[in-house]
Amino acid sequence: MMNSKYFFLHITLLILFLSLPLSCAHTKSQHHSPESNDKKCQCPCPCKSPPDDKSNKSPSPPQKSNDGDHPSSPTPEKDIPPPEMQDDGNQSPPQKQDGDNQFPPEKQNEGNQSPPEKQETGNESPPSTPSTNTQSPPSTPSTNTRSPPSTPSTGKSPSSLKTNISFGGSFTKVFAFGDSFTDTGNAFLLGGLKSFVGSLISTLHGGSSLLPGHRQCNGRLVVDFLCENLEIPYLPPYKKTSSDFSFGANFAVAGATSLTVDYFTKHSFGQPLMWKGIPLNFHMQLDWYNKFIQGFTCKGKSQSECKAEIEGALFWIGEMGGNDYARTFASPLSKRWLTDLALDHVHKLLKALLDSGAKYIVVQGLPPIGCCPIEMFLAKMTDRDPMGCASSGNALIQAHNELLQTMLDGLRAKYPGCTIAYADYWNAYKTILENRQKYHFAEPFKACCGGGGGPLNFHMNSLCGSIGTSTCQDPSQYMHWDGLHFTEKMHSHLADLFLHQGFCKPSFHDLVKKKMGM
């Protein structure tokens, strides 16, 4: 009986023992079927199922704007908020008391950010463009996604883009437009400058000077260095009727604005700065150009000959819009409306020139006005960007330049047979500022000519040339001439970056090659 009992117990254990591998084999066969990808699965532990296949569709790309044309401009009366609604930090703040506003970043020792001079590392390639997102004014469009690059638009370093090519003979005629950064004498001849300014530039550029005309600078402008590179005479101002206009003409006027004379007359605001009376509107320059073409360039020529003259010329569009911002910094004007108005005038000018036959055009962007002594003087000490400049003013210029480039893209699409280059003033200036030791500038923010002393040598009541002001001994050490304009040395470096180091898009070299059929 006992043997029979143990016999059945052994049989039962044997059956249980044999059932285990059969169960495991069955489980293993399930988890290592061809559909399974996990070959490390071991019985009896269950395998993890493969991750879910993410089949969500990628978001649709953003729609492009219609054609990149200029923004629509609202009517001034409807878009000017009352003054009490403007106190949001988006305009240049009012002057501080007790002269505190005369000190740039390098003189701050109370925990403010380090000045540019103390960040010098000796590297010649500029650092990345600082972000100004935290202080963007309402003029910055919501679609503004194109941040200005810290290097030329080609992505290469300036040194690798430097060219030694001669541009002589490529263009024998140049037509220039703009404001005081390009004007070679129109404002002076029209009597549009304050007496002390007119007296000063007459002394600097008198009749015996090798440099003809009258400029708000201690010497040559970018347009003058352009003419030297093209190996043609300096452009005479349009208003000097006795000039030889065989090589072109300069229609730029210092102090010119997009706002009309009627608008300044109707509204009681507008800072005259170095100009007297009501400024000329940019539209006047287009009127002058049309009269010049009919009365000189195309006079006595056939339609085909006239067209050939215009097609073979270079059109240089200098700074446009800077005076609108400078002359209305304390007004209740909407900055976005002002930007739209300025770009609308640029668009109208460019379209008129293109329709008249222009094929080769260079359009300058605006420089960082927040780095000029006048803007740093007016801005609060806390209103500084990583470059050490007034961040509110610079954010406004970045928005302007972004919209300008978008508008140029639209014109390129409409006029595919023409070359429209954008001169990147912002990054050219920034490159020089952040590498000022390389360019031999000892004073990045101080005005050479002015009054008030201090690190800016600028005061609104002591403008360059007025009683009590003085001029520095060596202007080549200074980036800024009078608090609003640059020195000749600064213009020379800017011209070199535009013409030879790829700070135009497309490059000026490529523009010349296309002109020469290369």
Side-chain angles (χ1 to χ4, degrees):
M1 183 66 101
M2 292 298 293
N3 291 338
S4 174
K5 181 179 180 180
Y6 283 113
F7 173 79
F8 284 110
L9 179 61
H10 282 101
I11 292 299
T12 302
L13 292 175
L14 179 61
I15 291 173
L16 291 174
F17 178 79
L18 291 175
S19 67
L20 287 175
L22 289 175
S23 176
C24 186
H26 175 70
T27 306
K28 187 174 183 180
S29 65
Q30 285 182 328
H31 292 289
H32 286 273
S33 60
E35 291 79 14
S36 175
N37 293 324
D38 193 348
K39 296 184 179 180
K40 295 183 179 180
C41 178
Q42 295 181 357
C43 181
C45 301
C47 296
K48 295 181 180 179
S49 60
D52 294 335
D53 182 18
K54 295 181 180 179
S55 58
N56 295 332
K57 296 182 180 180
S58 58
S60 302
Q63 299 295 321
K64 293 184 179 180
S65 58
N66 293 335
D67 57 4
D69 275 3
H70 63 288
S72 58
S73 301
T75 56
E77 313 301 335
K78 294 181 180 180
D79 199 61
I80 303 177
E84 60 268 22
M85 296 181 65
Q86 291 290 314
D87 190 17
D88 55 3
N90 297 323
Q91 299 187 38
S92 300
Q95 299 182 27
K96 292 183 68 178
Q97 299 178 355
D98 303 325
D100 290 345
N101 49 1
Q102 298 187 33
F103 295 92
E106 57 265 31
K107 296 298 181 180
Q108 303 178 44
N109 296 317
E110 292 81 23
N112 293 328
Q113 56 181 312
S114 301
E117 289 87 343
K118 296 181 180 181
Q119 297 175 357
E120 197 69 47
T121 60
N123 296 329
E124 294 187 0
S125 55
S128 302
T129 304
S131 171
T132 55
N133 293 339
T134 58
Q135 301 194 37
S136 299
S139 59
T140 306
S142 59
T143 57
N144 182 10
T145 58
R146 186 192 325 192
S147 300
S150 58
T151 54
S153 56
T154 57
K156 299 179 181 178
S157 63
S159 60
S160 66
L161 290 164
K162 187 173 179 62
T163 62
N164 296 318
I165 187 173
S166 173
F167 297 130
S170 58
F171 290 97
T172 58
K173 195 181 296 291
V174 176
F175 298 113
F177 303 80
D179 59 12
S180 55
F181 280 67
T182 309
D183 183 11
T184 55
N186 284 315
F188 176 84
L189 295 170
L190 289 169
L193 301 175
K194 289 186 176 179
S195 58
F196 60 85
V197 178
S199 175
L200 178 68
I201 64 177
S202 296
T203 303
L204 291 172
H205 312 300
S208 61
S209 173
L210 295 176
L211 184 65
H214 305 275
R215 296 157 177 78
Q216 290 192 258
C217 175
N218 66 310
R220 292 162 290 180
L221 309 173
V222 168
V223 69
D224 296 312
F225 290 105
L226 168 69
C227 291
E228 290 182 2
N229 276 266
L230 297 177
E231 299 177 9
I232 63 174
Y234 299 126
L235 296 182
Y238 168 76
K239 279 300 178 179
K240 189 175 182 180
T241 56
S242 60
S243 301
D244 178 5
F245 294 109
S246 301
F247 299 92
N250 193 333
F251 304 101
V253 183
T257 64
S258 301
L259 291 168
T260 64
V261 173
D262 292 340
Y263 199 82
F264 275 104
T265 303
K266 183 178 180 180
H267 300 277
S268 57
F269 59 77
Q271 171 58 247
L273 298 174
M274 295 182 173
W275 309 284
K276 63 182 181 181
I278 298 175
L280 286 177
N281 183 263
F282 281 123
H283 187 74
M284 179 64 70
Q285 299 181 32
L286 182 58
D287 291 340
W288 288 353
Y289 167 75
N290 289 330
K291 291 178 181 178
F292 182 84
I293 291 298
Q294 297 301 321
F296 183 84
T297 302
C298 294
K299 186 177 182 179
K301 295 182 174 67
S302 65
Q303 185 174 358
S304 59
E305 290 173 332
C306 177
K307 182 180 179 182
E309 286 280 344
I310 299 175
E311 287 183 348
L314 174 65
F315 291 79
W316 189 273
I317 314 301
E319 176 185 312
M320 284 189 170
N323 287 324
D324 291 285
Y325 300 127
R327 298 186 75 139
T328 60
F329 58 81
S331 74
L333 278 176
S334 162
K335 298 307 179 185
R336 177 54 196 263
W337 174 83
L338 198 60
T339 299
D340 289 344
L341 182 65
L343 293 175
D344 182 69
H345 275 264
V346 176
H347 181 271
K348 289 178 179 177
L349 173 63
L350 290 174
K351 190 176 186 304
L353 296 178
L354 290 163
D355 289 340
S356 73
K359 291 188 65 176
Y360 306 98
I361 302 178
V362 177
V363 183
Q364 287 184 189
L366 296 183
I369 63 171
C371 297
C372 293
I374 180 175
E375 187 70 18
M376 295 181 66
F377 175 85
L378 295 171
K380 295 178 180 178
M381 289 301 301
T382 55
D383 181 26
R384 293 292 184 265
D385 62 18
M387 289 193 294
C389 308
S391 59
S392 56
N394 279 351
L396 181 64
I397 297 304
Q398 283 184 292
H400 175 105
N401 288 339
E402 174 67 24
L403 290 171
L404 173 61
Q405 292 178 73
T406 300
M407 183 255 286
L408 294 182
D409 288 339
L411 289 172
R412 292 186 187 107
K414 287 186 174 181
Y415 298 88
C418 303
T419 301
I420 306 173
Y422 171 72
D424 191 353
Y425 217 137
W426 175 279
N427 279 304
Y429 181 100
K430 182 174 181 288
T431 295
I432 297 171
L433 176 64
E434 295 182 339
N435 296 275
R436 52 189 172 273
Q437 291 183 353
K438 169 186 172 182
Y439 291 99
H440 307 291
F441 284 122
E443 296 290 348
F445 301 118
K446 190 174 185 178
C448 169
C449 178
L456 293 178
N457 192 36
F458 180 85
H459 196 281
M460 294 293 292
N461 297 325
S462 299
L463 299 178
C464 176
S466 62
I467 298 175
T469 61
S470 60
T471 303
C472 64
Q473 293 295 319
D474 186 5
S476 67
Q477 296 285 314
Y478 291 69
M479 296 174 63
H480 298 272
W481 165 240
D482 55 12
L484 286 80
H485 307 96
F486 301 144
T487 60
E488 179 186 62
K489 181 60 69 174
M490 184 65 174
H491 284 301
S492 71
H493 290 310
L494 289 167
D496 179 61
L497 292 175
F498 291 152
L499 303 179
H500 298 288
Q501 299 195 34
F503 280 76
C504 278
K505 178 186 176 182
S507 71
F508 192 76
H509 183 210
D510 289 340
L511 182 145
V512 170
K513 285 174 62 179
K514 188 168 183 179
K515 168 65 166 55
M516 303 299 290
M518 301 169 61

